[in-house]
Amino acid sequence: MGKGTITKRQKELLSIIYNYIKNSGYPPTFEEMKEDLNVSSNQSIIDLLVKLEKQDFIKRNESSARSINILPLGYKVLNKLPLIPFLGATSAGAPIEAIEISGEWQSVSSEVARLKDEVFLLKISGDSMINAGIDDGDMVLVKSQKEFFSGDVVLANVKDESTVKRFISDDNPPYVYLKPENPDPKHKVILFEDGMRLVGKVISVFKNGQWKSVK
Amino acid sequence: MGKGTITKRQKELLSIIYNYIKNSGYPPTFEEMKEDLNVSSNQSIIDLLVKLEKQDFIKRNESSARSINILPLGYKVLNKLPLIPFLGATSAGAPIEAIEISGEWQSVSSEVARLKDEVFLLKISGDSMINAGIDDGDMVLVKSQKEFFSGDVVLANVKDESTVKRFISDDNPPYVYLKPENPDPKHKVILFEDGMRLVGKVISVFKNGQWKSVK
DNA sequence: ATAATACCCGACTAAATAGTCGGGGTCAAT
DNA sequence: ATTGACCCCGACTATTTAGTCGGGTATTAT
């Protein structure tokens, strides 16, 4: 068997690693893998790990404890993503709400908590960004970050409200403000002032059943 | 300073741990934390870890390498969840597609890959479940799992297709099948047979701009 | 003044952990 | 028959890693 395939035993170990990480938040040691795989020799584990690594299912940091990463190919071969080809035409994710309203979701809460910092969806209300292709009721994907460039569509906290606008910053003359994308004069620019905070960048918008990137 | 507060140094270490996990997928060792915190003694790290632990910001597995978990309170104190109160009225998540189409997302790919196994969204095509409140074009949240109860709305793989139906299993007399929720007789029950596989439970459906749970 | 708290040092020990060495058995392909 | 891939054993070593010991300083509250 060559590259690209996986044997039963290799898959068993990969699955053990996957489950261990899922349950404890960090990867297993050799000892723990030996126990779970029901073998007594370190060499057995190493043999399998080396093969998993050669096929790009995992990555290891040598001489370092608990340092296995499962790579995308690894998740794929574990059949943990059986729907991906089907999902190709759709989209996927984890609504924070669904996770927080029910105790049923505790087991994934640590991963979700970590993920929540990175990206989240948001429902838009208002029409101040229609020229950027973001309409009332649309859902947008926001990536939480700290550095922004002029021209980014951002999610900002202004006083007690959150708003999505285009962020403009120019040095000459120096000015910084948030700009609505709607020609109607009732939408005014918001000068950047103390207490305002940029929360994240708006990456894409869900429209007509699919995701489009925001420019 | 008592329980519930956090000092500057403690927060620095917590932040170091957070970033390390985010970047490598597993927690740091004492040595790595010493380096990042710029101290030379293990005791410095232990002092801080013990205090973080007492305040329920982290959990450790004693005598075990790289075994720090950041607890929900820890994420909170790190101010990594600034939008949660606001998001309360909306929904959030990480579209798999958005992550895979752009190189920009590599840094979160390992978390996302892990999460993808747990929950994902799916766009429904067909009207076989309209009586369960799931219509053509709706987006549903599916939780990947292995145990199901009779009555659950499930995502099943039947031959080469995936379908969402209600799963029925009864002991007396013994029968197991998938049931459409549409009175039109063109939708027939699907008897459970070899090769069929239940992939996950349909938890909620996105409709009229908000998530509703599926019953 | 004294005590308590937070943070730190450097040298040390004990345990956990990854990795090595030199084998062996099975199975399928050549 | 022989080879190679795959998986395994048991004893071993080297390194990494957590934790200990006995201190110290600066700051703040009592």
Side-chain angles (χ1 to χ4, degrees), chain B residues 127-132 153 163-168 177-191:
Chain B
D127 58 354
S128 71
M129 293 298 284
I130 53 173
N131 275 8
V153 173
T163 183
V164 169
K165 296 283 180 296
R166 191 175 299 278
F167 171 65
I168 304 289
Y177 59 91
L178 301 177
K179 179 173 165 253
E181 292 280 358
N182 184 325
D184 189 319
K186 79 179 174 190
H187 294 281
K188 299 198 165 59
V189 303
I190 304 173
L191 293 177

Side-chain angles (χ1 to χ4, degrees), chain B residues 93-109:
Chain B
I96 290 178
E97 262 221 320
I99 279 125
E100 298 193 326
I101 49 180
S102 143
E104 186 175 352
W105 293 90
Q106 290 313 311
S107 69
V108 295
S109 68

